[in-house]
Amino acid sequence: MQDAVPMLRTVNVCKSYGDHKILKGIDLEVNKGEVLCLLGPSGSGKSTFLRCINHLERINAGRIYVDGALVGFHERKGRLYEQNEKELCKIRTKIGMVFQSFNLFPHMTVLENIIEGPVTVKKEDPQKMRQRAYALLAQVGLRDWADRFPKQLSGGQQQRVAIARSLAMEPDLMLFDEPTSALDPELVGEVLTVMRDLAESGMTMVIVTHEMEFAKNVAHKVALMDHGCVVEEGTPSQVFEQPRHARTRAFLGSIT
């Protein structure tokens, strides 16, 4: 049975920069263990929405809940009050994020990159974290690369280290912002394989991607965004094989 509380629930999420509206009322739910793939053209608001989930971007209206807890704000008598940095940090430890450009610390080894967050933020024991880091590197196929520096790795290897680094925080929810878009085509598969394995292990994931076959085969839900709105949402078979909206049909037609 699915848990009664969604791992992620967003209610009327809006985001603007001045008069420019980026998100125009996003309502989505992702249950524990589900994978949601966000599709859509560039500039549709997908990456901004992802950054709002962990409050890297401050929303202008709406609510975001992760595992039932309000993200970024306290609510008292119907009004929202922004959380302080300590409270935000606690929420963010539950939310892993993998970016397009890896964002590894160039002066640290692969192993040091992975243990830095848990030791600094969660005050984990460094020796125990080293053991866990080796296990995570084995999980992403890089057990023997622990002492290398990021510049000594390919793009695909760096992205797999970034995934291991996020997993080291033991998040409840993983966010992926076009994790293969900066990679050469021959390196995409190795990253998608790691993500597919994560999905099969039951990790809850929200993935912004242009990899349509991956979305068809791995996602439980697919949502198409355009101009800051969710145009269509459903299972991969519904969205890819029987799209209801003309905008969805036009988007899918443009990429096949």
Side-chain angles (χ1 to χ4, degrees), residues 2 41 57 63 73 89 140 157 176 205 224:
Q2 290 179 330
E57 295 283 356
R63 306 284 192 277
F73 300 93
C89 188
V140 300
Q157 290 168 332
F176 292 84
M205 303 159 70
L224 178 76

Side-chain angles (χ1 to χ4, degrees), residues 224-236:
L224 178 76
M225 290 183 62
D226 189 37
H227 290 95
C229 300
V230 175
V231 176
E232 186 154 358
E233 179 188 1
T235 66

Side-chain angles (χ1 to χ4, degrees), residues 197-215:
D197 290 344
L198 274 181
E200 291 175 355
S201 75
M203 175 62 72
T204 312
M205 303 159 70
V206 180
I207 304 168
V208 173
T209 185
H210 293 293
E211 301 291 339
M212 297 298 115
E213 286 302 313
F214 177 85

Side-chain angles (χ1 to χ4, degrees), residues 8-22:
L8 173 68
R9 182 165 72 97
T10 71
V11 183
N12 192 36
V13 169
C14 299
K15 173 66 182 176
S16 300
Y17 296 111
D19 294 331
H20 184 39
K21 295 181 179 180
I22 307 297

Side-chain angles (χ1 to χ4, degrees), residues 23-241:
L23 303 176
K24 305 171 184 176
I26 305 297
D27 297 309
L28 285 171
E29 285 192 3
V30 183
N31 291 313
K32 294 179 181 179
E34 285 186 335
V35 175
L36 168 66
C37 282
L38 293 175
L39 313 178
S42 297
S44 59
K46 306 182 300 298
S47 294
T48 299
F49 173 65
L50 215 64
R51 292 172 63 85
C52 287
I53 293 173
N54 58 10
H55 207 66
L56 290 176
E57 295 283 356
R58 187 183 188 278
I59 62 176
N60 300 109
R63 306 284 192 277
I64 297 174
Y65 300 90
V66 171
D67 202 15
L70 188 62
V71 175
F73 300 93
H74 298 294
E75 185 170 5
R76 294 192 292 271
K77 297 182 179 179
R79 296 189 63 181
L80 295 181
Y81 300 87
E82 198 158 8
Q83 293 173 333
N84 60 40
E85 275 303 314
K86 185 177 181 180
E87 293 166 326
L88 273 175
C89 188
K90 185 176 180 181
I91 287 285
R92 284 178 179 148
T93 61
K94 298 182 177 182
I95 308 170
M97 187 159 185
V98 177
F99 300 87
Q100 297 178 34
S101 54
F102 324 137
N103 288 0
L104 299 177
F105 297 116
H107 62 289
M108 293 183 179
T109 66
V110 165
L111 188 74
E112 290 167 343
N113 264 280
I114 292 173
I115 69 174
E116 175 69 13
V119 170
T120 303
V121 177
K122 299 179 71 176
K123 310 303 179 186
E124 298 277 3
D125 176 75
Q127 190 55 41
K128 290 182 179 178
M129 274 312 307
R130 286 176 66 88
Q131 295 173 3
R132 176 162 166 73
Y134 279 117
L136 288 169
L137 284 172
Q139 183 177 333
V140 300
L142 293 170
R143 173 64 177 77
D144 296 330
W145 296 77
D147 296 326
R148 305 288 182 95
F149 287 89
K151 67 180 181 180
Q152 297 174 298
L153 308 181
S154 70
Q157 290 168 332
Q158 289 187 60
Q159 194 62 291
R160 285 187 279 158
V161 172
I163 293 171
R165 181 179 62 178
S166 290
L167 292 174
M169 296 294 287
E170 298 184 303
D172 297 321
L173 171 66
M174 285 284 286
L175 310 177
F176 292 84
D177 187 9
E178 297 191 37
T180 60
S181 65
L183 301 179
D184 292 333
E186 65 268 24
L187 302 178
V188 169
E190 64 189 55
V191 174
L192 294 181
T193 296
V194 171
M195 293 171 63
R196 185 178 291 107
D197 290 344
L198 274 181
E200 291 175 355
S201 75
M203 175 62 72
T204 312
M205 303 159 70
V206 180
I207 304 168
V208 173
T209 185
H210 293 293
E211 301 291 339
M212 297 298 115
E213 286 302 313
F214 177 85
K216 289 178 185 178
N217 295 327
V218 177
H220 298 89
K221 297 178 180 177
V222 173
L224 178 76
M225 290 183 62
D226 189 37
H227 290 95
C229 300
V230 175
V231 176
E232 186 154 358
E233 179 188 1
T235 66
S237 60
Q238 289 170 338
V239 173
F240 285 107
E241 297 171 20

Side-chain angles (χ1 to χ4, degrees), residues 236-251:
S237 60
Q238 289 170 338
V239 173
F240 285 107
E241 297 171 20
Q242 297 178 314
R244 298 185 300 272
H245 297 279
R247 182 66 188 94
T248 310
R249 293 191 290 271
F251 173 76

